[in-house]
Every structure is written in C-alpha cells, then in structure tokens.
Amino acid sequence: GDSVTQMEGPVTLSEEAFLTINCTYTATGYPSLFWYVQYPGEGLQLLLKATKADDKGSNKGFEATYRKETTSFHLEKGSVQVSDSAVYFCARVKAAGNKLTFGGGTRVLVKP
Amino acid sequence: GAVVSQHPSWVICKSGTSVKIECRSLDFQATTMFWYRQFPKQSLMLMATSNEGSKATYEQGVEKDKFLINHASLTLSTLTVTSAHPEDSSFYICSALRGDTEAFFGQGTRLTVV
C-alpha cells in the first residue's frame, strides 16, 4: 500500500546550520508529494508541494525535489532560524480526491 | 491561502459525556473533509473521510458509533466523540479538500477527558 517514511527526530541544530530531512515514498501510482509543518500547539500548514517528477517545491527558504528514480522528496534549508523549530511531515496523495498518507513526522529544534 | 477553522481549540469534558468539534472551510466549499487524530509526538492517524451529503467513510479500527461525523453542508463537518473516556483524550485535526488534492488543515482541537 501507500506509505511514506521519513527520518526520525529529534533533529537539533544551531541557527544558520543546514537542514536536511529525508523522505521516501512507495512508488505506487504517480503521487503528489507534500511537506507540512506543525508549529507547537497548532495544526498543519502546507510548506511546499510537487506534483510530478523533477518538480521542485520551495517556500520560506525550504526546498524539496520530487525524485522518481530514488522515490524521494527530501526537505532542505540552507540556513535555519530558531523560528523553524517545528515538526515536519512528509506526505503523499495518490489521486484526485484521495486521502493523504503522512510520514511519522520529524521534530526539529533550532537553538540560538 | 484558504482558511479552515476548527472549534473549539481545546475542550475538557467529564468521562461519559459527548463532545462536538466543528470544522469549517471559511472561503471555499469542500465536498470532502478528513478527520485525524494525533497522539503526542506521533504522526496523524486518519480516522475518517467526511463526504457532504453522504455517510462518512471510516478507517479500519475506528468505531463509527463512537466518533459520529456529520457533513451537512459544503462548509461544515462535525465530529462528535460520544461517551468520551480518558483514552479518547487526544489532538483532533480536520482538513478540508479544495478541488482535487489541495488539503487545508484546521488548527486542531485538544480534547481532555477527565
């Protein structure tokens, strides 16, 4: 079935460090891929998305490229800030109107 | 971006009582909404898919008589936790689907059953 696997946290970084969160998905169908961010005490917010192979989603300095050959959608940011501390979820949706499948979430803590 | 409002943001109730959580899409119509449950430091678990004008579709292992879902209009879905018990304490999140694949999430409801 559909599944999403992402690296376990917590990931602790210093401000201005480089962040990578790995995410891989099962290659059933041609899914759209997403990264969501959840700040403490809040619901999820869409961070970025990609709908087909080789697409690059970007937002707020974060980027992720849809890699069909490695079934990956790794999230990166070149210089993190304390305000980036949150839980990040990788997700996929298989087809129109279908439900999202989430990875387990990765908690990121950025220290000043 | 689109706005989904979830109410209340937190609620404390006594064991045995029922609690209703509302999910509203404020600036778009959503024929499909989803209800999730999130345990501390864990991912979201899909509970059910709420379809406007028809019965909700529940995921395996989710008791439909305990978690009643009503999607009476294109902008409102409700989740009622009936006869709540402490083990039902959790963070409940809804999302509304705009178009085919754009999902927007509510801010979540923290339910504590005492």
Side-chain angles (χ1 to χ4, degrees):
Chain A
D2 298 341
S3 68
V4 176
T5 303
Q6 63 183 101
M7 60 188 289
E8 289 188 24
V11 175
T12 304
L13 302 165
S14 297
E15 213 165 16
E16 300 183 1
F18 184 88
L19 170 68
T20 298
I21 304 176
N22 290 339
C23 170
T24 56
Y25 62 93
T26 51
T28 52
Y30 299 95
S32 292
L33 302 173
F34 305 83
W35 276 100
Y36 286 88
V37 58
Q38 184 179 33
Y39 297 104
E42 299 183 15
L44 273 70
Q45 301 174 25
L46 178 64
L47 182 59
L48 53 83
K49 67 178 182 180
T51 57
K52 61 183 187 296
D54 299 324
D55 266 4
K56 176 185 283 188
S58 60
N59 185 28
K60 299 181 180 180
F62 289 90
E63 292 184 342
T65 301
Y66 190 141
R67 302 285 188 199
K68 188 177 178 182
E69 63 276 12
T70 54
T71 63
S72 64
F73 193 54
H74 304 323
L75 182 69
E76 297 181 337
K77 185 171 185 179
S79 177
V80 294
Q81 304 300 313
V82 173
S83 57
D84 294 323
S85 298
V87 181
Y88 294 83
F89 292 93
C90 186
R92 58 167 287 167
V93 62
K94 185 167 66 177
N98 213 329
K99 51 200 175 189
L100 285 163
T101 301
F102 287 91
T106 302
R107 184 174 301 275
V108 173
L109 177 61
V110 181
K111 295 184 175 180
Chain B
V3 179
V4 173
S5 175
Q6 194 171 334
H7 178 79
S9 54
W10 60 270
V11 58
I12 301 173
C13 70
K14 290 185 176 180
S15 189
T17 62
S18 295
V19 174
K20 180 185 285 187
I21 303 170
E22 293 186 347
C23 181
R24 293 181 185 273
S25 56
L26 297 185
D27 52 358
F28 67 98
Q29 294 182 331
T31 54
T32 303
M33 293 185 178
F34 301 94
W35 287 96
Y36 297 85
R37 183 172 178 175
Q38 185 180 28
F39 293 98
K41 299 184 179 181
Q42 294 189 31
S43 188
L44 283 75
M45 181 193 79
L46 180 65
M47 299 175 64
T49 303
S50 170
N51 302 295
E52 187 269 336
S54 64
K55 291 182 179 180
T57 304
Y58 290 81
E59 296 299 302
Q60 191 172 10
V62 178
E63 299 176 60
K64 61 181 180 181
D65 294 330
K66 179 161 188 65
F67 299 100
L68 300 179
I69 291 172
N70 184 284
H71 195 155
S73 77
L74 288 171
T75 58
L76 174 64
S77 175
T78 60
L79 168 68
T80 302
V81 183
T82 63
S83 185
H85 291 286
E87 57 265 30
D88 298 324
S89 298
S90 192
F91 195 56
Y92 293 88
I93 301 176
C94 73
S95 74
L97 204 62
R98 185 175 73 176
D100 291 336
T101 57
E102 277 197 286
F104 296 90
F105 287 79
Q107 73 272 33
T109 298
R110 183 162 302 285
L111 169 64
T112 302
V113 184
V114 298

